[in-house]
Amino acid sequence: MRRAPTWPRHALMIAVSILMLIPFYWVVKTSLTGENIYAYPPRIIPVNPHLFNYVDVWYLIPFPRYLLNSVIVTAMAICGNLLFNTAAGYALTKNFPGRRWVVLLFLSCMLIPFQATIIPAYLITSWLGVLNTHLAVALPLLSTIICIFIFKASFEAVPKSLIDAARLDGLSEWRIILRIMLPLSKPAIATNIILTFIWSWNAFLWPLIVTRTADMQTLPLGLARFLSVLEDTTGALYAFVVLVLVPGLTIFLMAQKEFIRGLTSGATKG
Amino acid sequence: MNWKAILTNRFVVLPLALAIIVGAWNIYIALHDDGLITGEVRDASGAPIPGAAVIFFERNFINYQEKQRVTTDARGAFRFTDMNVHVGQLEARLPDGRNSERRQLQLWFRAQNTLVAPLIIGAAKS
């Protein structure tokens, strides 16, 4: 039987990819030229591109400080996520009284938007005495329910006989997680890292509420501050946007295989 | 431990490459950030102009303001020191009112040592 040619499908996918990449191209092009984004007719090819807008961003605002804050907060969120979500995900694979209720509680909590919980979250953070610290910014992302379920789904896919054998060999529950579960759950770990990275890196509202000084602000807050301080700086603004986007894109491109595998395994085995 | 596998892993290679690039760039900056801006002032025929005032305008958020002023020597050369800026404008002026065009200066990093192309002061308008 003669197979249908694949090129129409590939051509369509390439066309759709180009369409989806146009906004990114436009952001990068504007960052390199600084031209008016409302200019008509728009120029497709950049004219006299240069990198000085990036130098401007680096020096006109405390960009390195914002970057450092974002890196610290994201690292804390990722570490917290891996620790707490692993423990919670493993616990939910066990049979204990009220397990269904706990799962139901988690699922119902997912229905509540974060904005609705901001005041209690702020009061708790204030009560802990950590306002205006990196910990305060990272606190709500130290454990996320979606990621708990991703770990749960991944752990449930591990054969029970393997866990029983480990237990017979005398491994404690923590060592079972570290030695058996986690090495077999690399896609789940990658998904956790990427999702937490994206959420933490792009968080705006919560850092805006819990930070009080400019030296504790993260990149999205820096972007808003940049907009409020400088006018007529289209090129520098877009350069800032590119600098905020690049770390997330890099991490996603590095781990996209594990990311997609982790998401799909979570979708089919939960 | 399989070092070859670790060192060829993309999670190691990319951060390592970035760290090397950033480190090399910072070393280059450390070796070239004395804040020296040098150049010459010439007339339209290319002859050096001694005694011309060269003014450096520093950018603030709204406009450019004079930051430092030096005078060219017998060879028409000028030299600014300790210029801890990354962007500004240069202009040469003569006592008779003639001046050069303002030259936009954009540096790759703050206090970069820079050799500016000659500032040209045209003939007096009749």
Side-chain angles (χ1 to χ4, degrees):
Chain A
M1 199 174 86
R2 193 159 167 261
R3 287 181 61 190
T6 54
W7 69 264
R9 198 173 51 190
H10 286 148
L12 182 70
M13 284 195 289
I14 289 169
V16 171
S17 302
I18 289 171
L19 275 176
M20 297 188 82
L21 284 172
I22 282 176
F24 286 99
Y25 171 73
W26 218 259
V27 169
V28 174
K29 186 193 72 125
T30 311
S31 77
L32 293 175
T33 58
E35 69 188 28
N36 188 342
I37 52 170
Y38 301 110
Y40 188 85
R43 291 197 182 102
I44 306 292
I45 308 295
V47 178
N48 298 327
H50 59 81
L51 290 170
F52 289 110
N53 287 325
Y54 291 86
V55 183
D56 263 357
V57 170
W58 192 262
Y59 288 119
L60 284 179
I61 52 160
F63 188 87
R65 180 72 207 184
Y66 295 146
L67 182 67
L68 179 71
N69 288 340
S70 277
V71 169
I72 292 172
V73 167
T74 304
M76 287 172 86
I78 288 173
C79 292
N81 246 273
L82 288 179
L83 180 69
F84 296 124
N85 293 349
T86 307
Y90 184 65
L92 289 178
T93 61
K94 302 287 165 192
N95 284 318
F96 57 89
R99 174 177 172 270
R100 281 175 62 84
W101 287 105
V102 173
V103 172
L104 208 63
L105 182 70
F106 277 174
L107 288 174
S108 58
C109 283
M110 283 172 70
L111 300 175
I112 303 170
F114 178 67
Q115 286 81 354
T117 63
I118 272 188
I119 293 175
Y122 180 86
L123 292 174
I124 292 168
T125 312
S126 172
W127 178 71
L128 289 171
V130 292
L131 283 176
N132 203 34
T133 61
H134 293 117
L135 179 62
V137 183
L139 209 53
L141 286 170
L142 287 184
S143 179
T144 44
I145 297 169
I146 293 173
C147 292
I148 291 174
F149 281 108
I150 288 171
F151 266 124
K152 176 179 172 289
S154 179
F155 290 162
E156 279 174 346
V158 176
K160 199 168 179 304
S161 56
L162 204 63
I163 302 165
D164 291 339
R167 200 164 284 135
L168 279 174
D169 283 343
L171 261 66
S172 64
E173 296 297 324
W174 273 112
R175 286 174 76 87
I176 289 173
I177 293 175
L178 287 174
R179 294 289 176 88
I180 311 289
M181 294 301 198
L182 288 180
L184 293 172
S185 307
K186 282 177 186 164
I189 294 171
T191 310
N192 252 267
I193 290 174
I194 289 171
L195 285 178
T196 312
F197 180 91
I198 292 168
W199 289 333
S200 175
W201 198 258
N202 295 333
F204 179 80
L205 187 59
W206 178 251
L208 179 69
I209 288 168
V210 293
T211 56
R212 289 174 180 172
T213 53
D215 64 342
M216 286 306 299
Q217 291 183 332
T218 53
L219 283 171
L221 296 183
L223 186 59
R225 190 181 167 86
F226 187 77
L227 270 172
S228 65
V229 170
L230 297 178
E231 293 176 0
D232 192 26
T233 51
T234 311
L237 176 66
Y238 278 76
F240 195 138
V241 171
V242 172
L243 288 173
V244 173
L245 281 174
V246 161
L249 282 176
T250 310
I251 289 193
F252 177 77
L253 289 175
M254 276 200 303
Q256 59 176 325
K257 196 170 64 183
E258 285 81 0
F259 180 53
I260 291 162
R261 202 188 301 153
L263 278 183
T264 48
S265 73
T268 54
K269 291 170 191 165
Chain B
M1 198 173 281
N2 189 350
W3 285 104
K4 193 181 171 190
I6 292 172
L7 289 174
T8 52
N9 187 303
R10 64 186 183 282
F11 291 99
V12 176
V13 171
L14 188 63
L16 206 63
L18 288 175
I20 289 169
I21 291 168
V22 170
W25 179 239
N26 277 286
I27 290 170
Y28 179 82
I29 289 175
L31 295 173
H32 297 86
D33 67 342
D34 304 310
L36 299 176
I37 296 175
T38 53
E40 287 176 348
V41 179
R42 294 181 186 169
D43 62 18
S45 65
I49 301 179
V54 181
I55 306 161
F56 185 90
F57 296 90
E58 186 184 24
R59 185 177 71 179
N60 61 25
F61 286 130
I62 302 163
N63 54 15
Y64 287 86
Q65 288 182 333
E66 182 175 336
K67 178 184 169 72
Q68 203 171 323
R69 178 182 285 241
V70 295
T71 307
T72 54
D73 61 16
R75 294 182 295 108
F78 64 88
R79 178 185 167 96
F80 290 97
T81 55
D82 300 323
M83 299 297 285
N84 192 25
V85 292
H86 74 283
V87 66
Q89 291 178 339
L90 278 175
E91 184 184 327
R93 288 179 189 167
L94 284 175
D96 62 8
R98 286 184 293 154
N99 62 317
S100 70
E101 282 188 355
R102 256 192 211 194
R103 173 84 48 79
Q104 185 72 22
L105 205 61
Q106 285 179 306
L107 309 182
W108 289 109
F109 51 88
R110 198 167 271 176
Q112 181 186 358
N113 298 340
T114 309
L115 176 62
V116 183
L119 298 169
I120 307 296
I121 295 182
K125 289 174 185 167
S126 53

